[in-house]
Amino acid sequence: MATTATPATPYLFHRHALVTRITHWINALAIVFLIGTGLNIFNAHPALYWGQFGADDDDARRWLEIGSADAPDGSAYGFLRIGSLTVHTTGVLGLSKGSNGQPSAIGYPGWATFPGVRDLATARNWHFFFAWVLILNGIAYYAYGLATGHLRRDLLPRLKELRPSNIVHDIVSHARLKFPKGEESKRYHILQKLAYGATVFVAIPAMIFTGLGMSPGINAAWPWLLELFGGRSSARSIHWIAANFIMVFILVHLLMVILAGPYNEIRSMITGKFRVDPEKA
Amino acid sequence: MTDSPKILTRRGLLGFGGVAAGGMLLSGCDKLLQSDKVNGVVRSAENATYRWQRLIGRDALAREFTAADMSPVFKANGTRDPQEPEYVAHAAEKFVNWKLAIGGLVSNPMTLSLAQLRQMPARTQITRHDCVEGWSAIGQWTGPQLGLLLKAAGLKTNARYIVFHCADNYGGELSKGGAQSTSIYYESIDLVDAFHPQTILAHGMNGAPLTVAHGAPVRMRIERQIGYKQAKYVMGIEAVSSLAGFGSGKGGYWEDRGYEWYAGI
């Protein structure tokens, strides 16, 4: 793009490369299934521990639990327990309406899991299939992003962008729902870079490496991987934390797509073309 | 810049369609599970995992821990007290008349008493047990290597798998979901795991004889795979060329109920 003046009328800009678009949608499909199956797998033992091991009797190692219990009046309730904090979560976590309409003692509710009923075998089959998809797709994306400079150029924050004043400015713009126009709309700003960067460079690699580490076969072949995370039960905890980060990212990402203009944003990830609106004088 | 606004709108709608389909995925896509074609593709991942793990760590050893790392309480799971009359009788006699049968595609079929197994050179290892449900426990196991027994029995060249026949008639568990039917527990492994140095017939656990809850008189330790492969109450070992003739033909009690045969993951 030459440094000509911004045209007064909207024009289409080629924003996303074909490889980016294809890997984005494969990634989206894989992650939707990985989350749904992951929640189903979690339901088989809805508790998390720190260290090399953790099971029912290891109270000191358990830092999170989703379950159900009976109140003094005999009524059942669902709860989420983190450390010494217990929150009642009836209807969503621990106790929710099952497929038969009756209250069911289950970690995550059926509407959030895949399959929609308790089925550890099927959830595992599908989780490991989409784990392969995620890894192979991720390798393609990374190879492309490194070779073309896309990751460094578009996602890696620059030092001056990390200045507090710039971050505050971007937070204020987002809070006022003022999105960049003109030339400025063609690049990612610091909050976008931090959100996308944390997902692409930290959360998804953390999911993959903690997931691989939990496999006893991989653990034998690459014992250093699990030690990196402090043991198997710690890796499982970090796997869950990173999954939660990704779930929050997806919600914010979808919200921002809607707020910024869903036609233009979704089209740019399908056809690559992004409409650049002129800046108002 | 030749796109007309009309086309843009259509494409935008396409995008919306995609997102909407994604949104309905988790609620509506249980239907996908009914397609044999889809399930075939999904299940192909197991073979990819099996080949990949054999490639990167065919002879790798599972991590071994020290006594200080052991779980204070090692959870007993699955069958904890078999009720089958034959087993109950053996347990009442402290397994003095129990015999392990080794047969199938071997040159020298044999039976071994518990006393004979205890006299064999034993390996002791402190390893981590990873249950398919998600919990882990570290314990110490003692027993002869399976490879030693198989060498004594002399595997025939067409043997490809080792099948473990167990004493317990298992009824499944609600927590694992689905309709679980009752049948005799069994398991199977390939010859790489069968001759792996850490694959042992454990008759001792945490410095004491194996208890009934943990699979007495002997259970398998196949340290690079998930808990359900660690068959308890082993009564017989059979070398076979195919898994087709056992249970529903998938190679194990849980495998017949949808779980991976190769459970290194």
Side-chain angles (χ1 to χ4, degrees):
Chain A
M1 286 277 161
T3 53
T4 51
T6 308
T9 52
Y11 66 97
L12 290 174
F13 164 67
H14 185 74
R15 183 170 201 176
H16 298 298
L18 183 63
V19 175
T20 307
R21 285 177 272 142
I22 292 172
T23 52
H24 170 271
W25 291 113
I26 293 175
N27 196 54
L29 179 76
I31 286 183
V32 164
F33 274 99
L34 283 164
I35 289 172
T37 53
L39 298 181
N40 199 313
I41 292 168
F42 181 88
N43 280 351
H45 189 81
L48 295 169
Y49 312 82
W50 293 119
Q52 297 285 356
F53 63 85
D56 302 27
D57 291 301
D58 299 312
D59 295 335
R61 292 166 173 264
R62 189 184 307 111
W63 68 273
L64 182 141
E65 185 181 2
I66 294 174
S68 63
D70 288 330
D73 68 359
S75 64
Y77 65 93
F79 67 83
L80 164 68
R81 188 171 292 146
I82 300 178
S84 55
L85 175 78
T86 301
V87 186
H88 284 226
T89 51
T90 307
V92 187
L93 301 177
L95 189 78
S96 50
K97 202 189 274 184
S99 50
N100 59 0
Q102 297 299 309
S104 166
I106 190 163
Y108 289 102
W111 57 260
T113 67
F114 181 83
V117 294
R118 270 178 204 277
D119 189 347
L120 178 58
T122 307
R124 277 170 53 86
N125 299 160
W126 285 64
H127 200 73
F128 302 145
F129 172 79
F130 279 107
W132 272 104
V133 173
L134 182 80
I135 289 172
L136 296 177
N137 187 60
I139 289 171
Y141 173 78
Y142 263 99
Y144 170 82
L146 289 172
T148 60
H150 163 60
L151 292 175
R152 179 182 46 77
R153 196 177 55 240
D154 300 324
L155 291 185
L156 199 66
R158 283 166 180 67
L159 266 183
K160 63 172 184 175
E161 288 180 315
L162 288 168
R163 281 198 308 251
S165 61
N166 185 52
I167 294 175
V168 169
H169 175 257
D170 204 21
I171 291 173
V172 170
S173 303
H174 272 83
R176 296 167 67 195
L177 299 181
K178 279 199 179 300
F179 298 110
K181 303 269 188 196
E183 288 299 306
E184 280 298 294
S185 70
K186 293 180 179 177
R187 65 178 191 89
Y188 289 145
H189 292 259
I190 187 62
L191 291 187
Q192 285 175 296
K193 283 188 176 183
L194 289 175
Y196 291 136
T199 304
V200 167
F201 299 123
V202 183
I204 291 178
M207 291 305 298
I208 291 171
F209 290 120
T210 50
L212 284 173
M214 279 189 274
S215 145
I218 298 280
N219 188 208
W222 298 341
W224 50 267
L225 189 57
L226 210 44
E227 294 319 302
L228 217 60
F229 300 108
R232 189 174 197 264
S233 291
S234 290
R236 187 165 171 268
S237 291
I238 296 166
H239 200 71
W240 183 90
I241 292 168
N244 277 271
F245 176 88
I246 290 170
M247 285 190 273
V248 171
F249 168 82
I250 291 170
L251 290 178
V252 174
H253 178 57
L254 293 179
L255 180 69
M256 294 314 294
V257 165
I258 291 166
L259 291 176
Y263 284 108
N264 200 26
E265 297 291 335
I266 295 169
R267 179 189 52 202
S268 74
M269 200 42 94
I270 294 174
T271 69
K273 295 281 195 287
F274 182 78
R275 192 187 71 237
V276 178
D277 288 324
E279 285 172 277
K280 291 202 178 75
Chain B
M1 328 236 164
T2 51
D3 302 38
S4 72
K6 199 177 171 186
I7 291 172
L8 301 184
T9 307
R10 199 185 300 148
R11 283 180 179 169
L13 282 173
L14 272 176
F16 265 133
V19 171
M24 291 188 298
L25 219 60
L26 287 183
S27 52
C29 69
D30 279 9
K31 284 195 187 72
L32 281 173
L33 298 169
Q34 289 151 18
S35 160
D36 288 344
K37 211 169 192 175
V38 170
N39 281 318
V41 172
V42 168
R43 292 305 300 259
S44 68
E46 180 185 343
N47 201 32
T49 301
Y50 178 44
R51 282 162 186 270
W52 168 247
Q53 293 199 0
R54 284 289 179 259
L55 185 73
I56 64 164
R58 190 189 143 99
D59 302 316
L61 293 177
R63 176 166 173 196
E64 294 193 17
F65 296 84
T66 67
D69 302 318
M70 283 166 51
S71 292
V73 178
F74 196 108
K75 181 179 175 177
N77 206 32
T79 305
R80 272 149 281 193
D81 193 12
Q83 295 303 312
E84 288 56 53
E86 190 191 353
Y87 181 87
V88 171
H90 281 310
E93 305 173 326
K94 299 210 181 312
F95 304 103
V96 288
N97 290 314
W98 172 90
K99 286 233 178 354
L100 176 74
I102 301 177
L105 298 173
V106 294
S107 318
N108 316 305
M110 58 175 84
T111 57
L112 291 163
S113 69
L114 184 56
Q116 285 172 309
L117 280 175
R118 284 184 173 146
Q119 281 158 16
M120 287 183 67
R123 191 178 201 281
T124 293
Q125 57 205 32
I126 299 175
T127 52
R128 196 190 60 237
H129 176 102
D130 298 328
C131 179
V132 69
E133 296 164 7
W135 54 268
S136 302
I138 295 177
Q140 185 202 57
W141 307 97
T142 300
Q145 291 172 317
L146 176 64
L148 219 59
L149 290 168
L150 295 178
K151 275 175 201 151
L155 276 194
K156 291 186 176 168
T157 50
N158 54 341
R160 286 187 58 207
Y161 305 99
I162 305 299
V163 176
F164 307 106
H165 298 286
C166 304
D168 56 318
N169 198 20
Y170 193 43
E173 270 179 70
L174 201 61
S175 72
K176 296 194 180 72
Q180 309 290 359
S181 52
T182 299
S183 68
I184 296 291
Y185 204 93
Y186 75 105
E187 259 304 339
S188 62
I189 54 173
D190 69 1
L191 296 185
V192 172
D193 268 327
F195 286 95
H196 187 269
Q198 289 170 320
T199 297
I200 63 173
L201 283 103
H203 53 63
M205 176 189 179
N206 294 355
L210 195 63
T211 60
V212 168
H214 285 289
V218 293
R219 79 176 299 175
M220 293 312 303
R221 292 305 308 171
I222 297 137
E223 301 291 1
R224 301 182 301 173
Q225 295 205 46
I226 290 287
Y228 62 81
K229 300 298 283 190
Q230 327 298 325
K232 294 154 81 167
Y233 317 109
V234 177
M235 304 294 278
I237 294 175
E238 187 176 351
V240 301
S241 60
S242 159
L243 298 172
F246 306 95
S248 305
K250 301 282 171 52
Y253 175 90
W254 287 113
E255 289 84 336
D256 288 339
R257 286 152 183 80
Y259 288 81
E260 288 84 6
W261 173 76
Y262 180 69
I265 184 165

